[in-house]
Amino acid sequence: MFKKVLVANRGEIALRVIRACKELGIKTVAIHSEADAASLHVRAADEHVCVGPPEAALSYRNIPNVLSAAEVTGADAIHPGYGFLSENAHFAEVCESIGVKFIGPTSENIALMGDKSKAREVVAKKGLPVTPGSPGELRSEQDAQEAAKTIGFPVIIKASAGGGGRGMRVVNKPEELARAFQAAQAEAKSTFGHDGVYLERYFLEPRHIEVQIVADNRGHVVHLGERDCSIQRRHQKLVEETPSPAIDEGLRREIGRVAVQAVKAIRYCNVGTVEFLLDKDRNFFFMEVNTRIQVEHPITEMVTGIDLVKEQIRIASGMPLSFKQPDIKLNGHSFECRINAEDPEKFTPCPGQITKYSAPGGFGVRVDSAMEPNAVVVPYYDSLIAKLITHGRDRQEAMARMRRALDEFVIEGIKTTIPLHRKIFNDPDFQKGHVSTTFLDRFLAGQSS
C-alpha cells in the first residue's frame, strides 16, 4: 500500500480522496492555488503545497508544478480526482516514467479512450453496439456531409477529445451542417487543443445511461450497475439516480455485460465508466468510456456499499478486486443533486462569500462538499460546490428524502441551484421516472411560460 498520496485536485473531490486515504492509513498532500490557500481540503491534508496562481492552467493543470510538489513531499502516488489532469494521458505517462503511481488507468487506456472516435472503432470491432456514426474523425465538411447523408438527420458533431458537453453541435438539416462543423472544430481546438471531430446519429429523447466498472491488473472486471444521468442542461448533468427506472434486471445484465466486454477489449485497469444512449425502444448504444472517478460516483456507493475511491487506491497499489460479479447486490435507490453556485434561472455563475451554510442530515442523507460558513466561492473553477445524495429502500423513499434534504439545505450569500432542484423533484413526470436528455429543456420552458 502507498505511504503518501498527493491529491492533484481541489474542493469536494480532493476532500473525498483525503478522507479515503486517512481511513486506509495513508498520509496525504494537498495542492492548492493561491486562491484556495484557506480551503477545507488544504486543512484536512497532512501537508500542503501551493502550485501557482488562481488560474487553473498555472496551478492545478501545471504538470511541472504538480510533479514538483510530489517530489518535494515524497509522495509515492498521485490521485487526480476528476477534471483538471485526471484524463491527461501525458500526465499519467510522466508519472509512470518517474516512478510515481498514477491512481487511475494506464496512459495508454486514457489516450485511447480520450479519442472518442477511436474508442468507437475499438468497441465496434468487438461486435458491440455503438451509436451509428462516421467511421472516424472527419477530415472535411464534405466528409461530414457524406456521413450525415448515410446516417440520416438529425446528427450531432462531437469533439474527438471532448467531454463535458464541449465541442458538440446538433444539426437538424443539411444546410446547417457547414456552420456547425466549423463551430465544433473551433470549440474543440480552443478547449482540448485538438480540432478533430466525428459525427453520430442524434437520438430524440434518449436516456443517458452509464455503467460503473471496476477492473484490477489481473484481468478481473466487475460492473456495479447503471446510473441514469438524463437530467442535463447543455450536456451538463444536474441530477443522477441509480438504478434507472427505465431498466429491468434483464436489460441491466445485458448492458453490464457489454460494458465489461468494452473495457476488457482495451485491457482497462482501475475504476471507469462506460456511457450509453438508451432509445425509446430500449436499444442501447455505446458512446464512450470515462477514464476517471465520476462526479456522481456516490450514488453507486450508496446502493452497493463499495467505496470506489478506496478501490481505486487498492487497485493502483497492485491489490486484486476483493469481490466478484455475483457478490454485487443493488440495495435500494439513490439520487444525487449537483448543487452549483449559479443563478437557478439564468444559470450564470455566482461566486462570492457564503455567509451562512447549514447542510442537511438524518438517515440516508450524505453531503459531499468542501464548503463551510464564510468560505469563498472563487470565479476561477467549476461552479459545483456540493453534492447532495440520498438513499432509500426504493425510489419513492429516496425521492422523498431528497425533497426533505433540499428543504433543509441552507446556503446564503450566493445564489445556488437548490431552488431548481426542489422544482424538479416536485415535477409529476420526474416523479414517475418519465425523463430523457430533453427533459430539462421542456421543464424550463414550462417554468417560464
Side-chain angles (χ1 to χ4, degrees):
M1 186 58 74
F2 305 118
K3 294 181 179 179
K4 186 183 291 186
V5 170
L6 181 140
V7 184
N9 218 294
R10 64 181 299 277
E12 68 83 16
I13 188 59
L15 187 59
R16 169 76 181 87
V17 175
I18 289 167
R19 286 169 170 165
C21 287
K22 284 180 179 291
E23 292 180 18
L24 291 170
I26 300 171
K27 296 291 185 182
T28 55
V29 180
I31 62 168
H32 64 88
S33 69
E34 292 171 356
D36 281 338
S39 295
L40 188 57
H41 83 278
V42 174
R43 302 203 307 272
D46 297 295
E47 301 174 62
H48 57 88
V49 178
C50 181
V51 290
E55 294 82 0
L58 302 177
S59 54
Y60 294 106
R61 288 196 177 98
N62 188 323
I63 293 176
N65 286 12
V66 172
L67 293 177
S68 293
E71 182 179 6
V72 299
T73 58
D76 51 351
I78 294 177
H79 195 301
Y82 54 71
F84 295 138
L85 297 172
S86 63
E87 293 181 286
N88 187 310
H90 172 65
F91 178 63
E93 184 178 15
V94 174
C95 288
E96 293 163 5
S97 69
I98 64 174
V100 175
K101 187 65 179 180
F102 179 84
I103 300 177
T106 65
S107 58
E108 290 86 357
N109 286 163
I110 297 171
L112 178 58
M113 292 297 101
D115 187 327
K116 312 302 183 187
S117 61
K118 286 185 180 179
R120 283 168 41 86
E121 289 180 45
V122 170
V123 172
K125 284 179 181 178
K126 292 294 180 179
L128 304 178
V130 299
T131 309
S134 57
E137 282 190 2
L138 300 166
R139 294 185 297 273
S140 66
E141 292 175 27
Q142 184 177 353
D143 284 349
Q145 290 284 6
E146 291 298 323
K149 286 179 183 177
T150 301
I151 298 165
F153 289 91
V155 297
I156 184 168
I157 301 171
K158 293 183 175 182
S160 295
R166 304 303 298 273
M168 290 186 181
R169 293 294 186 279
V170 176
V171 184
N172 293 298
K173 296 180 266 185
E175 54 267 30
E176 298 174 357
L177 196 141
R179 180 178 294 180
F181 179 83
Q182 294 168 5
Q185 275 194 322
E187 187 175 23
K189 179 67 175 177
S190 65
T191 306
F192 307 110
H194 175 60
D195 67 358
V197 296
Y198 64 103
L199 187 146
E200 288 181 343
R201 178 189 295 168
Y202 183 70
F203 289 94
L204 299 175
E205 300 190 12
R207 286 180 182 262
H208 183 143
I209 303 294
E210 60 186 30
V211 177
Q212 179 70 63
I213 62 93
V214 186
D216 64 20
N217 57 14
R218 292 163 172 78
H220 304 131
V221 184
V222 172
H223 75 83
L224 305 181
E226 83 288 347
R227 298 185 287 255
D228 196 319
C229 307
S230 300
I231 308 296
Q232 304 177 7
R233 178 181 178 272
R234 295 182 179 176
H235 306 289
Q236 294 284 343
K237 303 165 187 173
L238 271 75
V239 177
E240 301 97 354
E241 66 178 296
T242 185
S244 169
I247 292 184
D248 58 23
E249 193 56 43
L251 184 56
R252 179 169 299 112
R253 283 195 299 270
E254 181 58 16
I255 200 169
R257 181 189 67 81
V258 170
V260 168
Q261 285 189 322
V263 297
K264 280 187 173 181
I266 61 166
R267 297 181 181 178
Y268 190 90
C269 181
N270 212 266
V271 166
T273 303
V274 187
E275 304 210 352
F276 298 91
L277 281 181
L278 180 72
D279 70 14
K280 291 182 177 180
D281 298 318
R282 290 164 51 86
N283 300 306
F284 62 88
F285 303 92
F286 169 88
M287 288 196 297
E288 61 183 308
V289 176
N290 285 315
T291 55
R292 54 173 166 79
I293 194 78
Q294 293 278 88
V295 175
E296 58 272 21
H297 76 271
I299 59 174
T300 295
E301 294 180 328
M302 298 297 272
V303 299
T304 63
I306 293 171
D307 187 318
L308 286 168
V309 175
K310 283 185 181 178
E311 210 60 40
Q312 281 189 295
I313 296 168
R314 290 190 183 104
I315 292 168
S317 70
M319 298 174 66
L321 287 180
S322 59
F323 47 81
K324 298 179 180 179
Q325 194 64 60
D327 299 325
I328 305 304
K329 309 295 181 186
L330 303 186
N331 174 32
H333 204 98
S334 185
F335 285 98
E336 175 180 287
C337 286
R338 299 192 188 190
I339 310 301
N340 295 321
E342 296 176 357
D343 185 298
E345 295 180 357
K346 299 177 182 177
F347 296 99
T348 51
C350 293
Q353 186 173 37
I354 294 176
T355 57
K356 186 175 182 180
Y357 182 88
S358 179
F363 194 86
V365 175
R366 167 178 167 179
V367 179
D368 282 16
S369 178
M371 292 294 107
E372 56 187 339
N374 299 316
V376 176
V377 179
V378 294
Y380 309 104
Y381 316 114
D382 186 87
S383 63
L384 179 69
I385 55 173
K387 301 186 310 196
L388 176 57
I389 305 108
T390 60
H391 179 261
R393 290 170 295 182
D394 53 31
R395 190 172 189 267
Q396 294 305 312
E397 184 173 67
M399 193 158 32
R401 197 158 278 158
M402 180 62 78
R403 287 195 294 270
R404 185 264 293 172
L406 286 165
D407 286 340
E408 286 184 18
F409 213 151
V410 177
I411 302 176
E412 295 180 359
I414 60 170
K415 292 182 179 181
T416 75
T417 52
I418 289 174
L420 173 62
H421 287 297
R422 288 177 181 145
K423 292 177 181 178
I424 291 172
F425 273 79
N426 284 316
D427 180 78
D429 283 338
F430 178 82
Q431 291 177 358
K432 295 173 185 174
H434 298 164
V435 301
S436 72
T437 56
T438 63
F439 168 86
L440 198 63
D441 291 334
R442 293 199 310 271
F443 176 80
L444 293 174
Q447 293 289 309
S448 61
S449 62

